[in-house]
Amino acid sequence: MERQIINKRKRVFSLQPNKNPNALFARRYVSHLVPALKKINMNKSSLKTNHQSFEKTVKHEVDMAFALSAQEFAWSRFLQQKLLSSPHDDLISTSSSPSEILERSSKKQVGEKYQDRDEEEGGEIKKRLKELQKLLPGGEEMNMEEILSEIGSYIVCLELQMIVLKSIVQDNTS
Amino acid sequence: MDLSVLDRLKWLQQQQMVSPEFLQILGSDGREELKRVESYLGNNNDELQSFRHFPEFGPDYDATDGCISRTSSFQMEPVKNNGHNRAIALHNKRKPEGKTEKREKKKIKAEDETESSMKGKTNMSNTETSSEIQKPDYIHVRARRGEATDRHSLAERARREKISKKMKCLQDIVPGCNKVTGKAGMLDEIINYVQSLQQQVEFLSMKLSVINPELECHIDDLSAKQFQAYFTGLPEADSKQSIMADFRSFPLHQQGSIDYSVMNGTKDQTSSSWETHSQCLYNSLRTDSVSNFFSLK
């Protein structure tokens, strides 16, 4: 009840819908994702697919919606290409688990005491840049500056995507 | 009493309004240049020391090397001017004396900037401005006193400053970067953050595939409207509050615990910090930094 009242109060529509980039991204994302999910739903009843491939299809659609809603960035183009070329592979895979990275960073902190800081720093930074390259779609083909500029927009879009997905999930569970 | 560069530029601006003869000194590009100066004053008040891209007149400035070496050679001259001389120099601008006048002004400006740079302010390279203004003839970089002024180190310095500027922007976006200093630590944080975000997205999409059969037709309309409510162009403070209010109504904490029961399996040490991070996600939409990224192409 309270939630409905809050929703009613907050139902504000902007006169300039394209000005706020958050709203733009969210709107595009929802407009891509929800019809795709509905389509999957309809097809699911006809095909007898197991749960794993269904998950993969959903994941594929999620990533596709993500790539399509942020057309201004280089990483979205790379992601789109990846998705279109290999629809059934594990698309966003993290190369090294976070625990590995923590180990590496703790080792580095010990090593810095005994070694020349500049030399170590250059190597460490390169290692991390390589990691970042693997995380960012299309990162392998970019140099350091491009990665840094693209990663900011990538992070923000990921956050927005998370907010959207969480609300969708909550809408359906509650 | 030193005139700061900003004050001087403002003075110049005023002169533009008052004396059209000043434009004769700068030539046809004068108005355009002063507009550029204006845009500087509007946006980058802390980049006082950035070297403005002056249009090159005459045979004095032939090649890129010549330009850079000329500006950098200014650093070696001792600062002779006191306030009196500078006032006279400014005054002289009113007279349409042509190129020599302009060169002198440039020289004096360079020395003034040297002076204030000696006080420890950092100088920004002009590469960003040249891309902003789209007149990419030369890359003007201000060399600090005592630093190497050959072409390669200048270019390197420009590149390094670009990179550090981008790292600063990333610091605003990634939570928890303020405590860590140095590029490597920050990159670590960024990597961890991106990985956690990607894992959460994966998890959410798995959840979505589980509940997908129950997806109803009116849900998408509701979601779209809710997002418009969250993300409409409200001033940042208000939008944050409204988001807080809405999300409080959802059974957030329950949801949070379900998510992180999966995460805690993989991450041992940083589980608590990532929980707070995702709560921060709900509480803050960083519209400023987002608009930065969306406006760049």
Side-chain angles (χ1 to χ4, degrees), chain A residues 2-3 6-7 10-14 17 20-30 33-34 37-38 40-41 44 51 54-55 58-59 62-63 69-70 72-73 90 92-99 101-102 104-105 108 121 124-125 127-129 131-132 135-137 144-174, chain B residues 159-160 162-164 166-167 170 173-175 182-185 187-188 190-217 219-220 222-234 238 241-243 245-247 249-252 255-256 259-260 266-270 274 278 281-282 284-287 289-291 293-294 296-297:
Chain A
E2 189 193 18
R3 177 180 154 185
I6 290 178
N7 283 345
K10 295 301 175 190
R11 203 161 286 182
V12 175
F13 298 98
S14 163
N20 187 342
N22 292 359
L24 192 59
F25 177 84
R27 214 177 42 238
R28 281 192 211 161
Y29 190 77
V30 171
L33 185 60
V34 175
L37 287 178
K38 275 202 219 163
I40 294 178
N41 248 350
K44 188 194 182 188
H51 194 61
F54 183 65
E55 266 182 33
V58 169
K59 181 81 172 72
V62 163
D63 293 335
S69 341
E72 298 101 350
F73 306 113
D90 194 7
I92 297 183
S93 55
T94 56
S95 57
S96 65
S97 65
S99 53
I101 290 193
L102 286 170
R104 225 179 289 144
S105 65
K108 171 215 164 198
E121 215 180 296
E124 291 298 323
I125 290 181
K127 261 195 228 172
R128 283 166 177 88
L129 276 178
E131 287 293 330
L132 214 50
L135 284 180
L136 188 68
M144 183 179 185
E145 297 174 3
E146 289 171 16
I147 289 182
L148 286 180
S149 13
E150 294 289 325
I151 199 106
S153 59
Y154 186 63
I155 288 177
V156 171
C157 288
L158 275 180
E159 290 173 3
L160 292 175
Q161 184 190 31
M162 262 202 22
I163 294 178
V164 172
L165 283 176
K166 275 199 166 154
S167 328
I168 293 181
V169 167
Q170 279 169 351
D171 272 344
N172 293 331
T173 50
S174 58
Chain B
R159 189 180 149 265
R160 259 183 274 141
K162 246 200 212 173
I163 288 178
S164 59
K166 284 181 189 162
M167 297 286 276
L170 284 177
I173 289 183
V174 177
K183 286 188 199 167
L187 284 176
D188 252 349
I190 293 173
I191 289 173
N192 287 342
Y193 190 59
V194 170
Q195 277 177 338
S196 84
L197 281 180
Q198 284 177 345
Q199 282 175 353
Q200 283 184 10
V201 167
E202 265 187 60
F203 178 74
L204 281 174
S205 77
M206 253 175 42
K207 254 199 148 183
L208 201 59
S209 66
V210 166
I211 60 151
N212 206 20
E214 302 156 14
L215 206 64
E216 293 169 30
C217 293
I219 290 292
D220 49 336
L222 197 65
S223 306
K225 284 176 186 168
Q226 278 178 346
F227 298 135
Q228 279 181 332
Y230 296 154
F231 297 119
T232 45
L234 302 166
D238 291 349
Q241 285 170 13
S242 65
I243 288 163
D246 286 322
F247 278 112
S249 66
F250 292 136
L252 235 189
Q255 194 69 29
D259 282 347
Y260 290 104
T266 54
K267 290 180 237 184
D268 299 322
Q269 303 176 19
T270 56
W274 292 126
S278 99
L281 260 187
Y282 287 136
S284 65
L285 281 175
R286 304 174 202 85
T287 49
S289 47
V290 166
S291 56
F293 282 108
F294 275 88
L296 293 170
K297 284 185 185 174

Side-chain angles (χ1 to χ4, degrees), chain B residues 49-258:
Chain B
Q49 310 306 322
S50 61
F51 185 59
R52 270 70 179 174
H53 177 226
F54 291 102
E56 312 299 335
F57 299 130
D60 302 309
Y61 304 91
D62 297 335
T64 319
D65 290 356
C67 287
I68 291 179
S69 59
R70 190 173 283 268
T71 59
S72 54
S73 70
F74 284 160
Q75 308 306 311
M76 299 309 154
E77 295 170 18
V79 179
K80 295 169 194 160
N81 286 337
N82 47 14
H84 183 57
N85 280 358
R86 226 172 277 127
I88 292 179
L90 287 177
H91 222 38
N92 285 340
K93 279 178 212 152
R94 286 178 160 265
K95 302 176 194 168
E97 285 186 15
K99 299 170 194 170
T100 50
E101 202 55 38
K102 181 178 168 296
R103 242 180 297 138
E104 208 175 326
K105 167 188 89 175
K106 199 176 181 180
K107 193 178 180 180
I108 291 165
K109 224 180 194 174
E111 286 176 345
D112 184 34
E113 288 183 2
T114 322
E115 218 181 358
S116 35
S117 78
M118 273 166 23
K119 290 171 190 166
K121 292 185 188 167
T122 55
N123 299 320
M124 297 287 295
S125 76
N126 205 30
T127 49
E128 319 148 37
T129 57
S130 55
S131 58
E132 226 171 53
I133 298 168
Q134 282 167 6
K135 240 192 183 185
D137 296 340
Y138 308 114
I139 293 179
H140 288 264
V141 181
R142 172 69 61 193
R144 279 180 257 197
R145 190 182 175 89
E147 283 185 346
T149 57
D150 59 310
R151 203 174 176 183
H152 296 294
S153 42
L154 279 175
E156 257 185 56
R157 200 176 313 124
R159 189 180 149 265
R160 259 183 274 141
E161 281 170 354
K162 246 200 212 173
I163 288 178
S164 59
K165 199 194 179 197
K166 284 181 189 162
M167 297 286 276
K168 271 189 185 175
C169 291
L170 284 177
Q171 244 187 353
D172 296 331
I173 289 183
V174 177
C177 259
N178 304 323
K179 304 152 194 169
V180 192
T181 48
K183 286 188 199 167
M186 262 189 52
L187 284 176
D188 252 349
E189 284 290 324
I190 293 173
I191 289 173
N192 287 342
Y193 190 59
V194 170
Q195 277 177 338
S196 84
L197 281 180
Q198 284 177 345
Q199 282 175 353
Q200 283 184 10
V201 167
E202 265 187 60
F203 178 74
L204 281 174
S205 77
M206 253 175 42
K207 254 199 148 183
L208 201 59
S209 66
V210 166
I211 60 151
N212 206 20
E214 302 156 14
L215 206 64
E216 293 169 30
C217 293
H218 69 276
I219 290 292
D220 49 336
D221 298 314
L222 197 65
S223 306
K225 284 176 186 168
Q226 278 178 346
F227 298 135
Q228 279 181 332
Y230 296 154
F231 297 119
T232 45
L234 302 166
E236 195 176 299
D238 291 349
S239 71
K240 277 185 189 174
Q241 285 170 13
S242 65
I243 288 163
M244 288 275 296
D246 286 322
F247 278 112
R248 241 180 262 130
S249 66
F250 292 136
L252 235 189
H253 300 291
Q254 234 180 17
Q255 194 69 29
S257 63
I258 295 173

Side-chain angles (χ1 to χ4, degrees), chain A residues 75-96:
Chain A
W75 51 261
S76 91
R77 290 193 287 274
F78 281 111
L79 189 58
Q80 255 181 290
Q81 284 173 14
K82 227 204 275 185
L83 287 171
L84 292 172
S85 59
S86 60
H88 296 298
D89 295 340
D90 194 7
L91 296 159
I92 297 183
S93 55
T94 56
S95 57
S96 65

